Amino acid sequence: MKTLGTVQSHTKYLWFDTKKRKEFIRITDDVQKFLNETGLKDGFILVSAMHITAGVYVNDWENGLINDIDAWLEKLAPEDPNYQHHKTGEDNGDAHLKRILINHQVTIPITDGKLDLGPWEQIFYAEFDGQRKKRVILKALGI
Amino acid sequence: MKTLGTVQSHTKYLWFDTKKRKEFIRITDDVQKFLNETGLKDGFILVSAMHITAGVYVNDWENGLINDIDAWLEKLAPEDPNYQHHKTGEDNGDAHLKRILINHQVTIPITDGKLDLGPWEQIFYAEFDGQRKKRVILKALGI
Amino acid sequence: MKTLGTVQSHTKYLWFDTKKRKEFIRITDDVQKFLNETGLKDGFILVSAMHITAGVYVNDWENGLINDIDAWLEKLAPEDPNYQHHKTGEDNGDAHLKRILINHQVTIPITDGKLDLGPWEQIFYAEFDGQRKKRVILKALGI
């Protein structure tokens, strides 16, 4: 399937200020709303966490699994007072590692004016050191 | 190096239905074939698994290493009856975590009409809960 | 925010030949210089390691944290003589796994002619099997 047109770029920022230090927030509807605003028919949307203790991932919208992901990240990248990073006065070394593990960005394809996601794919913002204002950039490039 | 032209978008879906629950399938040739079909000279190809228990990665085409990756994923994201996700009746909690670890998408650069991969880079589909029909989207945006 | 124009693509390669086997090298300024050379106002830059024992990631420019990341990768993807990959004569099985864990590419958004990074985001090249010439591709697509 081929699409031709004049290239356009659109940019928007999502703001978060979570109540808890760690939260997993579904943002599929926010990305869909952004796509509607752009009017694009085909292309890519980059969804990227702009703070280095947060991530963005695509997986299941099921609370049990979200708890499993949370526990798994804690096991592989645990809170620990002994990170060298903490000598700077920070206490969030684990949050930097969790961002690496879950990754901080995804590219969502647009086809026929829709987010071209699989049947169970949902986009999540993963906050690992919240309770302050943080941003995610949405940038669409396409036709 | 600069290239100018009219932007084009091309989309194709690869289908998989693996015999085993876990399989690692090289798809570099499928992506190359897609690129040939598009006729694009420069741009990006997104290669993204559309099911949340499968991934896409770029690494070595060497069976020993593929076995190492398989064992390593099993160690860090093991099969376990106790995932909370399993309370929904599912049994594939580990597959969701393995997808996160290996990641579910890559962006392949196109230069001079070729996949601009390093000398040993090969593209793989990683199935963690197969034996049913699942898709990968290929979307090219470029000139 | 919407931008219109004629699409352009630009490509450049960064070469590395590290003194140590493992090194973490900040490349934000190299990516900024590339952006300046392109003159692009809006779009994406793909930054992707072309060798399968190296990665690219975005995180903090703080030496304590870089040491934490190094130790964490060593813990989760340790050097080990027993990788099956080593039967080919290689000794870098761990480096292939570390590349998977930290990921090998990022997409950097361009807005108003600038790298649209968060306040602490810095781009790093992560070498896990160096002391030889290796490349990173920079490819920009935009307006």
Side-chain angles (χ1 to χ4, degrees), chain A residues 68-85:
Chain A
D68 292 329
I69 291 171
D70 186 20
W72 178 69
L73 291 170
E74 194 56 43
K75 185 175 145 203
L76 293 188
E79 286 189 44
D80 183 337
N82 297 314
Y83 290 118
Q84 288 193 29
H85 185 48

Side-chain angles (χ1 to χ4, degrees), chain C residues 32-118:
Chain C
Q32 179 64 61
K33 183 163 176 276
F34 170 63
L35 173 56
N36 295 347
E37 290 162 2
T38 70
L40 282 176
K41 293 300 170 210
D42 209 286
F44 296 134
I45 301 176
L46 177 71
V47 184
S48 189
M50 300 183 76
H51 294 257
I52 53 186
T53 50
V56 170
Y57 72 99
V58 170
N59 214 302
D60 206 357
W61 185 20
E62 195 280 299
N63 283 336
L65 184 75
I66 291 170
N67 290 340
D68 291 330
I69 291 172
D70 185 21
W72 178 70
L73 291 170
E74 194 55 44
K75 185 175 147 203
L76 293 187
E79 286 190 44
D80 183 337
N82 297 314
Y83 289 118
Q84 288 193 30
H85 185 47
H86 296 176
K87 292 177 184 171
T88 64
E90 292 284 356
D91 64 354
N92 59 6
D94 69 300
H96 289 276
L97 302 181
K98 287 177 171 95
R99 164 182 161 107
I100 291 174
L101 196 45
I102 207 149
N103 211 7
H104 76 284
Q105 61 181 200
V106 297
T107 299
I108 306 294
I110 309 162
T111 308
D112 291 335
K114 292 173 194 152
L115 302 178
D116 202 346
L117 293 167

Side-chain angles (χ1 to χ4, degrees), chain A residues 18-23 79 91-95 127-131:
Chain A
T18 59
K19 288 187 180 163
K20 289 184 286 181
R21 179 158 182 157
K22 287 199 295 178
E23 284 192 25
E79 286 189 44
D91 64 355
N92 59 6
D94 69 299
E127 177 60 82
F128 302 119
D129 184 21
Q131 299 168 318

Side-chain angles (χ1 to χ4, degrees), chain A residues 1 4 8 16-18 34 54 59 62 64 69 77 79-80 82 89 94 99 110-111 115 122 126 134 137 140:
Chain A
M1 193 181 64
L4 279 166
Q8 298 180 21
F16 299 88
D17 189 353
T18 59
F34 170 63
N59 215 301
E62 195 279 299
I69 291 171
E79 286 189 44
D80 183 337
N82 297 314
D94 69 299
R99 163 182 161 107
I110 309 163
T111 307
L115 302 178
Q122 296 280 346
K134 292 166 90 169
I137 185 169

Side-chain angles (χ1 to χ4, degrees), chain B:
Chain B
M1 192 181 65
K2 178 176 174 175
T3 309
L4 278 166
T6 302
V7 73
Q8 299 179 20
S9 172
H10 298 260
T11 307
K12 186 178 182 177
Y13 304 92
L14 301 178
W15 285 93
F16 300 87
D17 189 353
T18 59
K19 289 188 178 162
K20 291 184 285 181
R21 181 158 182 156
K22 287 199 295 179
E23 284 192 26
F24 296 84
I25 299 167
R26 194 177 71 98
I27 58 172
T28 315
D29 296 345
D30 303 274
V31 180
Q32 178 64 61
K33 184 163 176 275
F34 170 62
L35 173 56
N36 295 346
E37 291 161 3
T38 69
L40 283 176
K41 294 299 171 211
D42 209 286
F44 296 134
I45 301 176
L46 177 71
V47 183
S48 188
M50 300 182 75
H51 294 257
I52 53 185
T53 50
V56 170
Y57 71 100
V58 170
N59 216 302
D60 206 357
W61 185 20
E62 195 280 299
N63 283 336
L65 184 75
I66 291 170
N67 290 340
D68 291 330
I69 292 171
D70 186 21
W72 178 69
L73 291 170
E74 194 57 42
K75 185 176 147 203
L76 293 188
E79 286 189 44
D80 183 337
N82 296 314
Y83 289 119
Q84 287 193 31
H85 184 48
H86 296 175
K87 292 179 183 169
T88 64
E90 294 284 355
D91 64 354
N92 59 5
D94 69 300
H96 288 276
L97 302 181
K98 287 177 171 96
R99 165 183 160 105
I100 291 174
L101 197 45
I102 208 149
N103 210 6
H104 76 283
Q105 60 182 202
V106 296
T107 300
I108 306 294
I110 309 163
T111 307
D112 290 335
K114 293 174 193 152
L115 303 177
D116 202 345
L117 293 168
W120 301 101
E121 286 193 308
Q122 295 279 345
I123 311 165
F124 285 88
Y125 174 69
E127 177 61 83
F128 301 119
D129 184 21
Q131 300 168 317
R132 51 196 170 111
K133 289 183 79 179
K134 293 166 89 168
R135 280 196 300 171
V136 166
I137 185 169
L138 308 180
K139 184 174 287 282
L141 188 71
I143 295 165

